[in-house]
Amino acid sequence: MALTITIILVILTIAGSVLYGSRNRGSGGVTEWAVGGRRMGTLIFWFLNAGEIYTTFAVLGISGYAWAYGAPAYLAFLSVSLTAAVGYWLTPRIWHAGKAGNFITQADFFADHYRARWLGIVVGLAGIAALIVYVQIQITALALVLRLSVDAEISNTASAIAAAVLMLLFVMSAGLRSAAFAAAVKDILMVVIVIALSATVAGHVGASSIGDVFTRVQDAYPGIGSLPGRDPDMGLSTIWMMTAGINVALGTYIFPHMFQLTYSASDSWAVRRNAVFQPLYSLSYFFIILLGFGALLAGTMPALDDPNAVLLTFVADRYPAWAIGLFAGTACLLALVPGSVLLLTAGSIFSRNVVRPMMPGLSDTSELLISRISMVGCAAIAVYLTIGATQSLVDIGLTAYASIGMLAPGVFLAFLWRQTNAFAVLAGIGTGYVVLMLPSSSPLMAWFPEWEAGLVAMLFNALVVLALSPLLNLVTGKREQAAAG
């Protein structure tokens, strides 16, 4: 019964999404496929935006983190609140720039603002790299759900390939508008199911109430409710929490797919309202962490020895088949929808900002075809990264945020400082990646004990951009004067 409900739920959602996308399609072409014709209203934009923030990273990843480490899972509360504050200021500016320049991708913005097509190519490739890591999260989670729902004997490789194929089939069917419909369905399902599970979790773990669950887990595992949590040796301290939260907040809307989603809004008010009400979603993390603690009290040991599977295993052990099916089906959608949008974005960037500059005469039809083909390549790389990986979804997510953070100084300074130089941005990106690859035992990282590595790299990136921009502008100005003379 559980498997049947899972399959029916996923098929009906996909079918409804494709139908919605085809019936509401505008003029077609790359603009319609990649940014929904720039016609997403407040409600549908809300679900689409939330759908890319609240993924399997949020539900399976955070619950598993709470089970394994305890208080460090509170990172979710901190990062979502800070992200909304950053988004309120940043996203309307991104929308206005996209509207004025008719941009499709984030790399379009960099190439136009800094008057450097080559920078658009560099940023495009960097963005694709970060997106592939983020796709890895969704493939890891979807493969896990497939293995537990269908047959645990299926190899990790086969399940990862199947997950990638499902994402590709979904996104190629109709594009961003279909993903928006599916995001609305899975968000509603997620909230209802998580609240329903939380309302009954106390009875399943021998507690008298939700509050008693927290009391009992604190008694059983002293210190779990405060940093550094269950495992002090992990370095998940207060400093880590603060720096990781800031890094996630500064990086969330720098992801290329978040740029693309922002372009899709019908007006700037839809974008700003989203930032105002988005923090309400952070309330769901209370229930997600509660379920992680409940699984710990119940003595749940995750299937396949994978902490990411804690919540799936807990539900499978303690709830009836129909509830298992609904949860597994929703978990599939939590991975399928965001993963599809990530692949769509990566394909758009590759065709528009990597291939088109080398082939200026490329038609829209050819660009769309190249975009779809490149998605297959990105999915293949993500599958390769997934095979044999043992990291938690949260750790993979922080890796993705660290990577995309290298583009953050170039974005923020574009709106804050007109003197920002394209070559300085490139130098900053290079410096940031070098710092990011340094081992934690290096002398430089020793200056920042327990800091999230991504924020350290972003800091040095920004310092290089700020220091070099005036110098490079001075050199450029002298050359232009010499040429004019």
Side-chain angles (χ1 to χ4, degrees), residues 6-181:
T6 299
I7 294 173
I8 291 174
L9 180 60
V10 173
I11 289 177
L12 288 178
T13 302
I14 292 176
S17 301
V18 173
L19 179 62
Y20 175 82
S22 60
R23 291 183 62 181
N24 290 275
R25 187 174 297 163
S27 58
V30 175
T31 301
E32 177 63 34
W33 186 66
V35 293
R38 307 183 198 276
R39 292 180 287 111
M40 300 292 187
T42 301
L43 185 61
I44 198 67
F45 180 76
W46 156 275
F47 282 118
L48 188 58
N49 191 274
E52 293 309 305
I53 295 177
Y54 302 95
T55 67
T56 50
F57 172 92
V59 180
L60 302 185
I62 294 299
S63 61
Y65 225 62
W67 175 87
Y69 303 116
Y74 300 160
L75 172 66
F77 292 114
L78 173 64
S79 60
V80 169
S81 302
L82 292 177
T83 294
V86 172
Y88 185 84
W89 178 85
L90 180 62
T91 51
R93 288 165 170 79
I94 293 174
W95 183 87
H96 281 293
K99 181 75 171 179
N102 199 32
F103 301 149
I104 299 293
T105 67
Q106 179 192 63
D108 287 347
F109 167 79
F110 271 87
D112 181 84
H113 180 83
Y114 290 106
R115 297 182 178 87
R117 180 173 291 183
W118 57 266
L119 184 59
I121 296 174
V122 172
V123 167
L125 293 173
I128 290 173
L131 288 173
I132 289 174
V133 176
Y134 214 43
V135 171
Q136 181 192 352
I137 296 175
Q138 313 312 327
I139 290 180
T140 299
L142 185 52
L144 182 62
V145 175
L146 292 176
R147 291 183 72 185
L148 296 180
S149 300
V150 181
D151 187 353
E153 297 302 318
I154 297 176
S155 69
N156 187 38
T157 301
S159 58
I161 292 173
V165 170
L166 284 174
M167 288 181 188
L168 288 168
L169 290 175
F170 176 66
V171 72
M172 289 186 182
S173 61
L176 189 67
R177 190 164 289 277
S178 290
F181 177 89

